Amino acid sequence: MKFSEYKNLIKERLEAYFSFLPDNTHLAQNYDLAAEFSSRQIQTALFKENVMDYLDSKEFCLLSNLQDEQTIDSELAKLPDIAISSANPSRHHKSTVVTRVFVTEKDVSPATLSKIKKFKFSKAFRFLFWGWTEVHLLLVNLQDNKVYSNWAGRIHKKVFTANT
């Protein structure tokens, strides 16, 4: 499967839940595919119109084609800043998740796979009273139809498989 086919497949899978960002740009950086999911959980009293409190959750999905393995290190170094900048901590913030997906059409070295699997980032704001942010990281190998992820990103493996 080629990257353009894979990108269209993922776009079809995400379009029911995610809204795609204009120009595939998030925080002034371009990606091959950038999407955002927002949800608001409300707490009401007696009637639906009487909203007492609410919590917001966001997820950003950032997908790009990996041309060479050397770019992985610089991208992994940027991820904590991207996650913190994407979050808007407040009393109404529940969570912000940044799902970063790298797609490659060739084999990846074991050292790179190790970096992907060992990467973790999570930050709590004001002892979780103002929510948290975390990074889910995935590497999709289109040649082998395999998906590698860090511990937090394991829940997304089925969504990002190349199988139709």
Side-chain angles (χ1 to χ4, degrees), residues 4-113:
S4 59
E5 297 170 359
Y6 179 76
K7 181 180 161 185
N8 291 333
L9 175 69
I10 295 302
K11 200 169 189 176
E12 286 177 17
R13 289 181 185 171
L14 296 180
E15 69 186 354
Y17 305 101
F18 285 76
S19 58
F20 297 100
L21 300 174
D23 300 328
N24 289 323
T25 303
H26 178 64
L27 298 176
Q29 185 170 348
N30 290 330
Y31 299 95
D32 291 313
L33 184 66
E36 175 185 14
F37 170 77
S38 297
S39 84
R40 176 172 279 186
Q41 294 118 7
I42 58 173
Q43 186 177 19
T44 60
L46 296 178
F47 304 105
K48 287 194 295 186
E49 295 80 23
N50 297 341
V51 176
M52 293 174 41
D53 203 7
Y54 64 91
L55 293 173
D56 289 328
S57 297
K58 287 191 176 196
E59 181 172 353
F60 295 95
C61 180
L62 309 172
L63 183 138
S64 61
N65 192 3
L66 185 65
Q67 299 297 336
D68 60 345
E69 293 184 35
Q70 282 66 34
T71 59
I72 285 268
D73 291 330
S74 63
E75 289 291 326
L76 292 182
K78 290 185 220 173
L79 276 176
D81 292 334
I82 291 172
I84 291 172
S85 299
S86 299
N88 186 13
S90 69
R91 191 176 78 78
H92 299 293
H93 175 253
K94 179 182 177 188
S95 65
T96 300
V97 176
V98 175
T99 303
R100 186 69 171 96
V101 183
F102 298 106
V103 182
T104 183
E105 296 179 25
K106 46 191 170 183
D107 284 332
V108 182
S109 69
T112 301
L113 292 179

